[in-house]
């Protein structure tokens, strides 16, 4: 038996023909999008408004000024010159004699030194201490020389003159003593005399110390004296004067009443406590306050009054 021959056909031309028949993009691409442009609308503007301004002329009236007549200046008075301050007194009127007077008199007081009270404070000088030893001060006294001070101050005497006095006190009240007597000076308070307790007075006949009874009779102002309580020496109790912390001023005008009723040195001023030269009349008087304002107490308020006495 016999067979027919087989012919081979190329594949490429066939593929090309198939693609041409489809007529499309094998990838399926989308058609492009078209964007339409927007045209802006036109705007109509109103024509501008014209404003006319009319200026009226200003009329200025003339100002009429009336003439003013000035009053003539008043005459000025000259200010009187200030009066000069009065000069400090250099003397006062003497105090008339009272119904009773001190029985013991001493020579004239020392003249004042400097102006005003001119108070000074110092250690007890040898000249003063030597007269005190063995009389107003003896071995065994509560205080010694180093604890005492010597106060000097001017005062107004009963004779109307400025005098200088001295007093020995404890150092703890020296400043207060000087201040109190300075105040008395400014008040023109009268003081008879002011002398330390020493050999001038002699020894106390009733116990240790200088003779305070003679000093009271002389109306002497004093402080330190190593003695017992006056009028009560039998008790042998030291007075505050033995410590120098007590001051007696104008004994005669300001008497002392002892516990037994005895009045020293005189009864005359015991019932005459009204304001008078050298008298401490009441706790409210300026003279008493000169001491109490310095922290000292006044014996005039005691049940047995001691009007001359101030202490701490």
């Amino acid at each position: 038996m016999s067979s027919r021959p087989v012919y081979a056909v190329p594949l490429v031309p066939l593929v090309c023909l198939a693609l041409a028949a489809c007529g499309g993009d094998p990838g399926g691409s989308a058609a492009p999008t078209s964007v339409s442009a927007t045209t802006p609308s036109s705007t109509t503007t109103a024509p501008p408004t014209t404003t006319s301004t009319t200026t009226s002329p200003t009329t200025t009236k003339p100002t009429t000024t009336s003439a003013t007549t000035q009053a003539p200046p008043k005459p000025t008075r000259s200010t009187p010159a200030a009066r000069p301050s009065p000069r400090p007194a250099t003397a006062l009127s003497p105090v008339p004699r009272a119904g009773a007077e001190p029985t013991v008199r001493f020579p004239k007081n020392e003249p004042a030194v400097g102006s005003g009270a001119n108070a000074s404070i110092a250690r007890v000088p040898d000249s003063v201490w030597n007269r005190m030893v063995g009389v107003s001060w003896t071995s065994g006294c509560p205080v010694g020389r180093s604890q005492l001070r010597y106060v000097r101050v001017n005062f107004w005497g009963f004779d109307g003159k400025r005098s200088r006095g001295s007093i020995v006190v404890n150092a703890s009240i020296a400043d207060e003593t000087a201040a109190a007597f300075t105040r008395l000076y400014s008040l023109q308070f009268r003081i008879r005399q002011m002398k330390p307790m020493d050999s001038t007075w002699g020894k106390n006949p009733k116990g240790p110390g200088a003779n305070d009874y003679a000093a009271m009779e002389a109306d002497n102002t004093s402080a330190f004296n190593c003695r017992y309580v006056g009028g009560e020496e039998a008790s042998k109790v030291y007075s505050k004067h033995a410590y120098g912390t007590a001051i007696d001023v104008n004994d005669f005008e300001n008497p002392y009443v002892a516990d037994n009723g005895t009045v020293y040195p005189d009864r005359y001023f015991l019932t005459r406590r009204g304001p008078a030269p050298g008298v401490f009349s009441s706790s409210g008087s300026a003279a008493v306050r000169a001491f109490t304002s310095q922290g000292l107490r006044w014996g005039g308020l005691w049940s047995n009054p001691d009007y001359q006495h101030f202490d701490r």
Side-chain angles (χ1 to χ4, degrees):
M1 138 180 170
S2 68
S3 61
R4 292 181 181 178
V6 178
Y7 297 93
V9 180
L11 295 176
V12 173
L14 293 176
V15 172
C16 291
L17 290 175
L19 290 173
C22 292
D25 186 0
S29 297
T33 304
S34 62
V35 179
S36 61
T38 304
T39 304
S41 60
S42 61
T43 303
T44 305
T45 304
T49 304
T50 303
T51 304
S52 61
T53 304
T54 305
T55 304
S56 60
T58 302
T59 304
T60 304
K61 295 182 179 181
T63 304
T64 304
T65 304
S66 59
T68 303
T69 304
Q70 295 182 352
K74 295 181 179 180
T76 57
R77 296 182 180 179
S78 58
T79 304
R83 295 181 180 179
S85 301
R87 293 183 178 181
T90 56
L92 303 176
S93 300
V95 176
R97 293 179 64 87
E101 291 286 329
T103 58
V104 177
R105 294 291 183 179
F106 276 84
K108 293 181 179 180
N109 292 315
E110 296 179 37
V113 175
S115 60
N118 192 25
S120 65
I121 302 172
R123 293 184 178 275
V124 181
D126 292 341
S127 58
V128 175
W129 183 249
N130 292 338
R131 293 196 303 269
M132 293 171 58
V133 174
V135 185
S136 58
W137 184 89
T138 55
S139 178
C141 287
V143 297
R145 181 180 181 179
S146 63
Q147 296 166 278
L148 301 173
R149 293 294 181 270
Y150 186 59
V151 178
R152 301 268 288 163
V153 64
N154 295 335
F155 64 88
W156 292 104
F158 278 73
D159 57 3
K161 298 178 181 179
R162 297 175 65 242
S163 298
R164 188 77 168 166
S166 55
I167 192 170
V168 177
V169 298
N170 193 289
S172 65
I173 66 166
D175 290 336
E176 291 83 351
T177 300
F181 281 102
T182 296
R183 176 59 177 155
L184 290 186
Y185 180 91
S186 68
L187 295 172
Q188 298 182 350
F189 183 86
R190 305 302 183 95
I191 295 175
R192 186 82 60 181
Q193 60 182 338
M194 187 188 301
K195 296 178 172 65
M197 297 301 295
D198 55 23
S199 58
T200 303
W201 307 99
K203 293 185 177 181
N204 188 349
K206 299 182 180 182
N211 191 345
D212 188 54
Y213 296 97
M216 285 192 288
E217 291 288 350
D219 204 12
N220 184 56
T221 293
S222 64
F224 174 77
N225 186 12
C226 188
R227 62 173 176 82
Y228 298 144
V229 176
E232 303 170 25
E233 286 82 3
S235 66
K236 295 186 178 181
V237 174
Y238 275 118
S239 164
K240 282 186 175 286
H241 289 279
Y243 299 85
T245 56
I247 305 169
D248 287 343
V249 182
N250 288 351
D251 304 330
F252 202 87
E253 288 75 21
N254 302 286
Y256 156 58
V257 181
D259 284 346
N260 60 11
T262 304
V263 179
Y264 299 96
D266 191 274
R267 300 185 64 89
Y268 181 80
F269 282 98
L270 182 62
T271 57
R272 294 171 174 83
R273 304 312 305 158
V279 173
F280 294 117
S281 58
S282 68
S283 59
S285 68
V288 170
R289 285 189 284 108
F291 290 90
T292 56
S293 65
Q294 297 298 324
L296 302 176
R297 63 175 182 168
W298 181 43
L301 298 177
W302 299 347
S303 56
N304 290 316
D306 191 353
Y307 295 110
Q308 63 196 248
H309 184 98
F310 296 91
D311 71 26
R312 176 182 289 175

